[in-house]
Amino acid sequence: MSVTGSRVVDGPGTDLAAAERSVAVRPSPTRVPSVGEARLDVARVRGLFPALADGFVHADGPAGALVPESVARAIAHALRMPIANRGGVFPASGRAEAIVAAARSAVADLVGGVPAGVILGPSMTTLTYALARTLARTWRPGDELVVSRLDHDANIRPWVQQAQEAGVLVRWAEVDIETGELPAWQYDELVTERTRLVAVTAASNAIGTRPDVAAIAARAHAVGALVYVDGAHAAPHGLLDRTALGADFLAVSAYKWCGPHVGAVVADPALLDQLRPDKLLPAPDRVPDRFETGTPPFELLAGVPAAVDHLAGLCGEAGGSRRGRLRASMAAVADYEGRLFGWLDDALRAMRHVQVLGSPEDPTPTLSFTVPGMSPRAVTAELSRRGICAWDGDYYARELFDALGVNEEGGAVQLGLLHYNTAEEVGYVIDSVAALRVR
């Protein structure tokens, strides 16, 4: 990687060993991750992403991943093929049925569900609003919900708004503002016999915190409450298991894990069968179709299996079940990202002019920071000038940043890694943040 003007010039075939040798000669607060520990062939992985040829360091993974060539081709192929709506007896309609079935199967493999329990839709937010409206029909005044200030607003506002309409009390799980953790013990008091639903994230999109969702879910289930888990940010960084999490509903977004802009909510089909969402009279009444309104974007759904297959093939393994290959590849992803992120996190925390928010014990490779005297927008503008993509603001973690007291100053700066980032890129980001100075 070299720097030309204000942009980083890099090809899709960056060699990890060469990158780490390059970074190793730079002064840095902590060591570069060892080449011998790597289990992902990052050069091969980067070659799968045409978008990396733009020369920027894409450290904006929490806001959405880049798309590999295989996903783009799957979508393009679907657009070139005759596809009609579902329910017909001719081949073009059959193709649409096959695309939907393949997308359901892929999402089920990704999160440990079954295809019949996979609801597909335009986004996690849209689906969460729809399910909130549906579940709210069973709520009565005096019932209670529990939401957390750690969550993305997509797993807060739909519940809060429906609770207000139904006259239901909302209880808030608070974040430890020093560590950024969401203590599970507080749910002992928050969850009562009146609790109908607990909404919690599997990982914070802002500071990476991974709460003990299983412990929280156990408390909710002990009183008969349902658990709605936002897995959108967690899914790209480790293998999810809906049952192990204790999630009655597990929501994900394909664009977070190198797929198209499609959302999904996964549940037990038997649970979905008990719910009656709003639907058009002629629309199918079977589960999960009754939760999906309108004609779906078949071409985008065609990209969902391609994205899951991309993740399953990151270690180059063939054969065996897709779920089994996902287990191996996502373990490699977690190890690789974790080592790179540990270096980034340690380096930024060692800088006197940088304030990293929180210090969760087992985060996803995501952090937020501020530079006193510089607005977050000024920081990201300077990073962009240097060829680094990073976000500023609250990134919809409004409640969290209100609790941390940074929203009045414009929020914070977000950095996040994915499996296509390299050690050299991390070194360059560290150097660029180190060079920031209040003007």
Side-chain angles (χ1 to χ4, degrees), residues 302-431:
V304 172
V308 175
D309 287 339
H310 163 76
L311 295 179
L314 284 173
C315 289
E317 296 183 8
S321 70
R322 182 163 53 191
R323 179 71 174 174
R325 286 181 285 120
L326 281 165
R327 184 173 290 108
S329 64
M330 296 311 290
V333 164
D335 177 70
Y336 176 74
E337 292 178 347
R339 288 183 288 108
L340 285 187
F341 179 71
W343 179 35
L344 174 65
D345 190 49
D346 288 346
L348 265 62
R349 290 180 188 277
M351 296 179 189
R352 298 184 64 179
H353 67 292
V354 170
Q355 178 64 49
V356 179
L357 304 181
S359 57
E361 183 176 345
D362 179 33
T364 62
T366 303
L367 60 78
S368 291
F369 69 94
T370 60
V371 178
M374 286 187 75
S375 71
R377 178 51 60 96
V379 171
T380 55
E382 176 61 18
L383 293 178
S384 178
R385 189 187 70 81
R386 291 170 172 265
I388 298 169
C389 301
W391 276 99
D392 62 89
D394 63 21
Y395 2 109
Y396 285 70
R398 176 67 57 84
E399 294 289 343
L400 173 63
F401 279 6
D402 278 347
L404 296 177
V406 296
N407 270 336
E408 292 183 0
E409 304 300 324
V413 177
Q414 179 194 59
L415 294 172
L417 306 179
L418 282 167
H419 55 270
Y420 48 69
N421 289 120
T422 68
E424 188 182 15
E425 288 182 328
V426 171
Y428 183 70
V429 170
I430 291 171
D431 287 351

Side-chain angles (χ1 to χ4, degrees), residues 223-303:
V223 299
L226 295 172
V227 178
Y228 195 99
V229 176
D230 176 3
H233 182 67
H237 305 296
L239 191 67
L240 294 179
D241 187 320
R242 185 186 69 82
T243 302
L245 285 171
D248 296 294
F249 303 92
L250 178 59
V252 293
S253 296
Y255 79 99
K256 300 284 190 176
W257 29 269
C258 303
H261 285 84
V262 171
V265 174
V266 185
D268 187 327
L271 173 58
L272 296 180
D273 196 48
Q274 301 172 28
L275 305 179
R276 309 303 303 185
D278 291 330
K279 60 175 286 294
L280 300 181
L281 185 61
D285 196 44
R286 60 183 177 268
V287 168
D289 301 72
R290 72 165 68 137
F291 294 88
E292 299 169 352
T293 57
T295 301
F298 297 115
E299 67 280 4
L300 296 184
L301 293 182

